[in-house]
């Protein structure tokens, strides 16, 4: 689904946001991307959304080689993605229904299909009664659920969530991630960038840890007692994610696809 | 670009944007009304001045005097020759008798000395009305060379030349004023739409993030510009009508005494058939054009940023 091959991104001011990043995310995976501010998470997302291009290396998402996308292809590429932002990015002068329908209108869907799909999505995110509310009449959690519904409108294979729980309370945060997990179980690849370490600890999913533009850890977090004591391979960043009260390690990810395993072996742990 | 449902939605979106950004929309319409009103008034002033010149011109005829002793066939031949000339609107035969009566009427009382001399001492001739004043000189030269039969040609070429020059200058001035006002309208509307565009940056970014094509992003802005243009045109027409009616009522006494009386201001309704489509066309062009100029420039700047990033890569 996603391939980063030796990706480096250096900005004109000399800041190197990503250094020689290689990773693979397989279809149907659920991946958390974590890291401190300035670790390269935003650049990682910008590359995925084709808002930036790598200085070196290549990025491939599905059938799209992002380095060589033409201007005309960009909208078609973006239609394959469902993107959820921390600040929701709902259009303020449209009601909830139109915000969700908007993504389908962009691709030229018929009104009948739009009606059916939006009704379904509103039920899925638990907001059928808010169809005609304006975004400013909703709570943060509700707005984010609308944003998720919009991201799912065109049934994307990949959902990218950028700090989706950043502006909402902890209880609602967990409900949202539960929603992403359910989507993932239904076959959608989910990539979630987050600061919410509690959430990451709560779900036993693959974690990619970025630090100073490098992938410093890539795998699942499990208590060391269950994985045979490989905790010495875990970086300080991973330990911070895991919390100081427990000892964690990056698991061997035995169940992951072969390509993923190969990439994991290349990952440099500190 | 889109299915009909998509276009309907985008059109509704453009209309809704007008309401949402009502202050800027009102500013755009007011600017357009001001410019179109000036254009309309310049047009109507030009039309009236043209009519004044037209009346002057119609009175500036060329007299073609004939040699005495021509028979009817020869006179008929000369008339046919004159009428066949390209710049001749009308050609009226004035016999010696008619000439005598005219001169007599114009010089009331001064003809008493000539009583009994008969009427044939004044030459017969043709009164020729030219179509275009700027070709007046050429027409006179051609008439002078109708041979045999034409004794002499009398005209007021200087007056014709001056009239023609004033008319041409007026047309150029009017066209320049209208052109400048149109450019001002396009510039101001594009600036107004551009100002609203920055306030809608997030909306545009959301459109792009969900995969909207450039045509999709442009459509609501185009609708907005065109609707503002049409609204501006309709209001401007109404304002021009009211201002013209007011001016006409004030100036009518002055004009009715012009040219020795009988001059009427041109009727507004006579030019409605020109002004209505003209204003609508200008409104759509300036509104839609200004809008497209802004969104295209805005999207180009974004593409440029992407290209710079690409170049850097």
């Amino acid at each position: 689904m996603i391939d980063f091959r030796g990706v480096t991104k250096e900005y004109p001011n000399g800041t190197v946001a990503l250094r020689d990043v290689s990773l693979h995310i397989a279809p149907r995976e659920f991946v958390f991307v974590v890291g401190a501010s300035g670790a390269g998470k935003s650049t990682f997302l910008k590359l995925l959304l084709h808002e930036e291009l790598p200085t070196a290396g290549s990025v491939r998402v599905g059938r799209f080689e992002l380095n060589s996308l033409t201007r005309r292809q960009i909208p078609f590429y973006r239609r394959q993605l469902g993107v959820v932002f921390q600040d929701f990015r709902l259009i303020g002068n449209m009601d909830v229904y139109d915000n969700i329908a908007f993504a389908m209108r962009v691709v030229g869907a018929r009104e009948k299909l739009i009606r059916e799909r939006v009704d379904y999505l509103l039920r899925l995110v638990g907001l059928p009664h808010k169809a005609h509310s304006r975004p400013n009449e909703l709570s943060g959690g509700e707005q984010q659920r609308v944003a998720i519904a919009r991201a799912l409108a065109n049934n994307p294979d990949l959902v990218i969530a950028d700090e989706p729980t950043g502006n909402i309370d902890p209880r609602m945060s967990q409900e949202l991630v539960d929603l992403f997990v359910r989507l993932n179980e239904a076959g959608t690849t989910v990539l979630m960038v987050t600061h919410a370490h509690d959430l990451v600890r709560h779900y036993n999913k693959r974690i990619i840890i970025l630090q100073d533009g490098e992938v410093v850890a890539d795998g699942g977090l499990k208590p060391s007692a269950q994985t045979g004591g490989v905790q010495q391979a875990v970086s300080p960043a991973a330990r911070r994610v895991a919390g100081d009260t427990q000892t964690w390690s990056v698991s061997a990810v035995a169940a992951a696809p072969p390509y993923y395993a190969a990439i994991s072996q290349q990952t440099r742990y500190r | 670009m889109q299915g009909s449902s998509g276009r309907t939605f985008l059109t509704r979106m453009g209309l809704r944007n007008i309401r949402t950004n009502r202050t800027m929309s009102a500013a755009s319409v007011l600017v357009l009304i001001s410019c179109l009103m000036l254009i309309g008034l310049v047009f109507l002033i030009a039309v009236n001045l043209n009519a004044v010149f037209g009346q002057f011109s119609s009175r500036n005829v060329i007299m073609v005097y004939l040699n005495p002793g021509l028979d009817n066939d020869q006179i008929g031949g000369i008339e046919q020759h004159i009428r066949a000339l390209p710049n001749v609107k009308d050609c009226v035969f004035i016999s010696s008798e008619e000439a005598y009566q005219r001169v007599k009427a114009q010089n009331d009382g001064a003809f008493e000395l000539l009583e009994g001399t008969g009427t044939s001492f004044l030459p017969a001739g043709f009164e020729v009305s030219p179509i275009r004043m700027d070709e007046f000189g050429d027409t006179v030269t051609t008439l002078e060379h109708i041979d045999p039969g034409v004794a002499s040609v009398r005209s007021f070429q200087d007056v014709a030349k001056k009239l023609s020059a004033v008319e041409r200058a007026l047309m150029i001035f009017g066209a320049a004023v209208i052109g400048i006002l149109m450019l001002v309208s396009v510039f101001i509307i594009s600036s107004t739409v551009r100002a609203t565009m920055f306030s809608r940056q997030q909306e545009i970014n959301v459109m792009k993030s969900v995969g909207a094509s450039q045509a999709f992003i442009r459509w609501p802005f185009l609708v907005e510009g065109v609707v503002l243009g049409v609204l501006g045109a309709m209001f401007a027409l109404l304002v021009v009508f009211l201002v013209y009616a007011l001016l006409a009522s004030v100036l009518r006494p002055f004009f009715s005494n012009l040219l020795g009386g009988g001059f009427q201001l041109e009727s507004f309704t006579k030019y409605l058939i020109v002004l209505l489509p003209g204003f609508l066309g200008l409104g759509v062009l300036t509104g839609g054009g200004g809008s497209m100029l802004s969104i295209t420039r805005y999207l180009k700047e974004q593409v440029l940023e992407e290209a710079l990033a690409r170049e850097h890569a």
Side-chain angles (χ1 to χ4, degrees):
Chain A
M1 173 58 68
I2 299 174
D3 275 314
F4 272 58
R5 297 188 210 95
V7 171
T8 295
K9 176 65 191 178
E10 183 181 352
Y11 287 103
N13 65 3
T15 306
V16 180
L18 289 179
R19 289 173 204 276
D20 195 24
V21 170
S22 292
L23 56 86
H24 173 78
I25 295 170
R28 295 168 175 259
E29 266 198 276
F30 189 119
V31 180
F32 286 113
V33 177
V34 296
S37 291
K41 301 190 303 290
S42 297
T43 301
F44 179 75
L45 281 185
K46 282 181 177 175
L47 291 171
L48 278 177
L49 300 177
H50 201 269
E51 288 176 5
E52 295 286 351
L53 285 165
T55 315
S58 65
V59 181
R60 187 179 180 84
V61 179
R63 62 191 169 87
F64 293 94
E65 192 67 58
L66 301 197
N67 293 43
S68 54
L69 271 190
T70 62
R71 256 180 67 196
R72 285 186 184 282
Q73 287 175 313
I74 295 170
F76 294 98
Y77 163 65
R78 288 182 178 152
R79 289 174 196 178
Q80 314 298 311
L81 312 175
V83 188
V84 180
F85 299 96
Q86 180 179 5
D87 57 359
F88 322 130
R89 296 199 191 174
L90 300 175
I91 298 175
N93 52 14
M94 283 184 195
D95 64 17
V96 165
Y97 179 95
D98 276 336
N99 262 286
I100 300 169
F102 185 67
M104 297 183 75
R105 289 180 171 130
V106 160
V107 300
R110 289 179 172 280
E111 280 301 321
K112 185 173 179 293
L113 179 67
I114 291 173
R115 271 197 301 277
E116 289 168 2
R117 181 79 181 155
V118 174
D119 287 346
Y120 164 75
L121 289 168
L122 281 171
R123 285 199 305 277
L124 182 76
V125 297
L127 295 171
H129 54 295
K130 299 279 187 178
H132 299 294
S133 300
R134 292 287 170 109
N136 60 5
E137 295 163 356
L138 305 177
S139 70
E142 287 172 331
Q143 288 189 56
Q144 196 57 294
R145 280 190 277 164
V146 176
I148 292 172
R150 182 182 63 193
L152 300 176
N154 291 322
N155 206 12
D157 293 330
L158 170 64
V159 170
I160 297 171
D162 180 13
E163 304 271 9
T165 59
N167 283 336
I168 50 183
D169 64 65
R171 190 183 60 80
M172 186 54 70
S173 297
Q174 190 154 340
E175 281 183 24
L176 282 181
V177 183
D178 283 343
L179 182 58
F180 282 120
V181 169
R182 289 210 307 277
L183 288 172
N184 175 245
E185 285 166 357
T188 307
T189 309
V190 177
L191 188 147
M192 186 187 298
V193 172
T194 183
H195 267 114
H197 295 169
D198 288 346
L199 282 176
V200 175
R201 276 198 297 275
H202 186 266
Y203 296 90
N204 184 23
K205 301 291 180 186
R206 181 181 169 191
I207 304 165
I208 295 171
I209 303 173
L210 289 171
Q211 191 175 31
D212 296 331
E214 294 182 71
V215 175
V216 293
D218 184 350
L221 280 175
K222 286 182 178 174
S224 59
Q226 296 172 9
T227 53
V230 288
Q231 69 271 31
Q232 69 279 8
V234 181
S235 71
R239 284 179 194 282
R240 277 201 298 279
V241 171
D244 295 333
T245 54
Q246 274 183 295
T247 305
W248 300 75
S249 70
V250 176
S251 71
V253 233
Y259 183 76
Y260 168 61
I263 291 287
S264 277
Q265 285 161 14
Q266 291 170 10
T267 310
R268 288 171 292 130
Y269 298 112
R270 289 180 176 172
Chain B
M1 175 192 57
Q2 288 292 310
S4 61
S5 71
R7 269 197 297 273
T8 309
F9 169 75
L10 289 174
T11 304
R12 271 197 290 126
M13 199 171 156
L15 296 175
R16 195 203 50 221
N17 286 345
I18 294 174
R19 207 174 55 238
T20 310
N21 307 297
R22 56 179 79 86
T23 311
M24 292 308 249
S25 303
S28 300
V29 171
L30 282 175
V31 165
L32 199 59
I33 288 174
S34 315
C35 290
L36 285 177
M37 187 189 78
L38 288 173
I39 290 172
L41 289 177
V42 166
F43 173 79
L44 287 172
I45 290 168
V47 159
N48 277 291
L49 285 176
N50 252 337
V52 172
F53 289 135
Q55 293 210 10
F56 270 122
S57 304
S58 68
R59 295 176 191 195
N60 191 19
V61 292
I62 305 166
M63 285 307 302
V64 178
Y65 297 111
L66 304 176
N67 288 320
L70 296 178
D71 60 29
N72 284 344
D73 287 347
Q74 286 170 312
I75 292 171
I78 293 170
E79 184 175 358
Q80 272 183 355
H81 194 137
I82 293 172
R83 284 186 183 280
L85 295 176
N87 192 36
V88 170
K89 186 163 70 183
D90 199 14
C91 172
V92 179
F93 178 70
I94 312 286
S95 65
S96 296
E97 171 67 21
E98 281 169 321
Y100 178 83
Q101 293 304 332
R102 274 191 185 190
V103 175
K104 191 178 172 188
Q106 284 167 8
N107 300 275
D108 195 24
F111 266 55
E112 286 172 8
L113 293 172
L114 297 174
E115 285 293 342
T117 58
T119 59
S120 60
F121 71 97
L122 287 173
F126 288 101
E127 200 176 73
V128 179
S129 305
I131 299 169
R132 294 171 54 89
M133 283 294 117
D134 54 353
E135 291 173 13
F136 193 91
D138 294 340
T139 309
V140 170
T141 311
T142 311
L143 290 169
E144 282 169 347
H145 288 86
I146 297 176
D147 196 44
V150 173
S152 65
V153 174
R154 184 174 62 86
S155 68
F156 298 96
Q157 274 205 58
D158 285 351
V159 176
K161 271 184 188 167
K162 278 177 188 157
L163 275 179
S164 170
V166 171
E167 197 177 352
R168 196 178 303 125
L170 193 77
M171 276 181 67
I172 292 169
F173 177 75
V177 169
I178 289 172
I180 289 168
L181 288 173
M182 268 191 72
L183 283 179
V184 169
S185 312
V186 170
F187 175 76
I188 294 179
I189 288 213
S190 88
S191 302
T192 316
V193 173
R194 195 165 165 74
T196 67
M197 207 161 287
F198 280 103
S199 68
R200 278 142 69 180
Q201 202 164 6
Q202 190 183 359
E203 192 176 317
I204 294 172
N205 285 340
V206 171
M207 286 185 181
K208 290 174 86 174
S209 74
V210 296
S213 64
Q214 299 226 343
F216 190 96
I217 296 171
R218 279 192 181 111
W219 188 263
F221 289 98
L222 179 67
V223 169
E224 195 177 334
V226 167
V227 170
L228 290 180
V230 170
L231 281 177
M234 300 305 287
F235 280 118
L237 199 62
L238 184 68
V239 172
V240 168
F241 169 72
L242 294 174
V243 171
Y244 188 71
L246 184 72
L247 283 177
S249 67
V250 173
L251 296 175
R252 188 160 287 123
F254 167 74
F255 274 96
S256 58
N257 292 327
L258 201 68
L259 299 170
F263 183 79
Q264 291 293 315
L265 275 174
E266 294 290 310
S267 141
F268 181 83
T269 45
K270 181 179 167 189
Y271 290 96
L272 195 60
I273 200 161
V274 178
L275 284 172
L276 181 65
F279 269 38
L280 284 177
L282 285 177
V284 168
L285 265 181
T286 49
S291 228
M292 280 300 90
L293 205 69
S294 296
I295 184 75
T296 303
R297 206 190 301 163
Y298 179 82
L299 293 173
K300 250 186 196 159
E301 279 167 9
Q302 294 205 324
V303 168
L304 191 68
E305 281 171 20
E306 285 166 17
L308 284 173
R310 203 179 297 265
E311 193 180 308
H312 182 73

